[in-house]
Amino acid sequence: MHKPVQWGVLGAAKFARHFMAPAIHAANGAQLAGLATSDTAKADPFRAFCPDLTVYESYDALLADPQIEAVYIPLPNHLHVEWSLKAMDAGKHVLCEKPMAMTAAEFDSLIRKRDETGLLAAEAYMIVHHPQWQLVRKLIADGAIGKLVHVTGAFSFDNRADTENIRNRAETGGGGLRDIGVYVIGGARYATGQEPVRVESTIKWQGGIDTFTEIRAQFPDFTYSSYVSIRMHPHQEMVFHGEGGVIRMTAPFNARVFGEARVELHRPGLEVQVTRFPGDDHYKLQVESFCRSVREGAEYSCPLEFSRGTQEMIDRVLERAVSL
């Protein structure tokens, strides 16, 4: 049996506190060992479920500890590349929150560093580790809905009241597209294995951030449309429409938080087959997959090259945007 991978977290972010740190603590093959924060009071909620946690007064101090093997980075978007590179320079494997980089070109330095060091570095793109997405990918590949014709996606929430949120600040790489656009875009790419050949978009800007983005694209074998917003009632859905059926995902991105993950397969004759995933935790599954790659060399299902492809499409959305 392999020794658990020793994990450290850079920063006491709310998302780390509520989701990723508990997932690391609960994951098979992982041990939550350290947290870097200059405010020791912020470490208390982490120690509540992980009493043996070591708290470091700085990110550099955590990275200097040879006992820490892997780091999770939940920092503001504009700091992701800098600290991912620093972590790899310190000999640490890296799992960094999305978007791991602000442009596709920035991924190149991460890929080079990963290859130079032989370390595992990846974007924390948890949905591909959820069995609902693996099922959808297989259904499409197996022809369960015949020839795929069109894909639609939607993801929205309303955080206008949270004015200090990094998603509402241009200087920290905020906006809906970078925060949740990765899901409607990357999800379509993952499920179909295809890349867009043409991209168009419409964006509503507010204070230097996109609060609503509509995307239209042509893939080699299907058309695509989606929208994301951080100023609308919470909603999420992905639909894959083929000549012989429809696949609908009811909670594709925040399974268990938004609701129970269900994959509906609509067939001719109004037949609907529903597969439910009531208990799967994609954050925990993500950590376990990462640890297997570190310890056993298993293939990781979301390499940097995949994340770069999603960011490349985001770049194209921004470049071709028409403002509302």
Side-chain angles (χ1 to χ4, degrees):
M1 181 177 293
H2 296 291
K3 175 186 174 183
V5 175
Q6 303 298 296
W7 284 81
V9 178
L10 296 189
K14 179 180 178 181
F15 188 82
R17 182 171 72 247
H18 287 293
F19 295 102
M20 279 302 298
I24 294 169
H25 183 62
N28 294 319
Q31 182 173 344
L32 181 59
L35 170 69
T37 175
S38 58
D39 185 348
T40 56
K42 290 184 177 181
D44 292 342
F46 293 81
R47 282 180 164 147
F49 62 83
C50 188
D52 297 331
L53 189 70
T54 298
V55 178
Y56 304 80
E57 64 181 11
S58 71
Y59 304 155
D60 288 317
L62 184 149
L63 294 181
D65 187 343
Q67 299 303 313
I68 299 295
E69 300 175 85
V71 295
Y72 166 66
I73 301 176
L75 300 173
N77 295 342
H78 68 298
L79 299 176
H80 287 174
V81 172
E82 175 188 355
W83 283 98
S84 293
L85 293 173
K86 286 183 177 181
M88 283 187 277
D89 280 333
K92 315 301 183 188
H93 303 284
V94 173
L95 182 64
C96 179
E97 262 311 316
K98 49 77 195 161
M100 195 171 182
M102 298 287 285
T103 66
E106 287 186 311
F107 271 98
D108 296 337
S109 63
L110 297 169
I111 292 170
R112 282 195 302 270
K113 184 66 68 176
R114 177 203 64 187
D115 293 344
E116 289 169 4
T117 60
L119 296 163
L120 176 59
E123 186 176 63
Y125 195 64
M126 73 290 185
I127 67 170
V128 300
H129 303 280
H130 197 291
Q132 67 169 334
W133 278 97
Q134 295 158 13
L135 173 61
V136 169
R137 187 178 189 179
K138 186 176 188 303
L139 288 172
I140 293 172
D142 291 348
I145 58 172
K147 178 178 170 25
L148 181 62
V149 178
H150 188 70
V151 175
T152 59
F155 196 1
S156 64
F157 61 89
D158 190 342
N159 73 346
R160 76 186 74 202
D162 191 1
T163 56
E164 296 303 311
N165 193 300
I166 60 173
R167 295 164 183 81
N168 284 324
R169 295 162 54 193
E171 65 272 20
T172 55
L177 183 61
R178 287 193 172 99
D179 184 46
I180 54 178
V182 295
Y183 295 119
V184 295
I185 290 173
R189 293 178 57 248
Y190 176 78
T192 66
Q194 295 191 26
E195 303 293 346
V197 295
R198 188 176 69 251
V199 177
E200 299 175 346
S201 64
T202 304
I203 295 182
K204 181 176 182 179
W205 298 95
Q206 181 179 330
I209 63 169
D210 62 290
T211 58
F212 174 86
T213 299
E214 181 189 16
I215 306 164
R216 302 167 299 281
Q218 175 69 56
F219 284 73
D221 296 333
F222 61 90
T223 53
Y224 167 92
S225 61
S226 67
Y227 66 86
V228 296
S229 176
I230 55 176
R231 296 292 186 271
M232 294 171 68
H233 183 78
H235 176 64
Q236 56 185 263
E237 184 179 50
M238 287 291 293
V239 177
F240 301 85
H241 200 152
E243 291 181 346
V246 171
I247 297 169
R248 176 175 177 261
M249 306 177 74
T250 61
F253 312 125
N254 288 126
R256 299 201 308 171
V257 175
F258 183 75
E260 182 185 64
R262 300 194 309 273
V263 174
E264 300 174 358
L265 177 58
H266 297 248
R267 294 180 178 273
L270 300 181
E271 175 191 354
V272 182
Q273 298 178 2
V274 181
T275 305
R276 291 178 165 82
F277 302 87
D280 294 283
D281 182 345
H282 48 199
Y283 301 112
K284 178 174 175 284
L285 292 170
Q286 174 180 239
V287 174
E288 291 175 345
S289 177
F290 192 97
C291 291
R292 284 194 299 272
S293 294
V294 168
R295 287 288 187 254
E296 303 169 16
E299 183 178 357
Y300 194 67
S301 57
C302 187
L304 291 178
E305 287 80 0
F306 175 85
S307 297
R308 189 191 191 285
T310 296
Q311 186 60 52
E312 185 175 357
M313 186 168 171
I314 290 174
D315 291 350
R316 292 168 69 181
V317 168
L318 291 169
E319 290 167 2
R320 292 160 173 75
V322 175
S323 296
L324 285 173

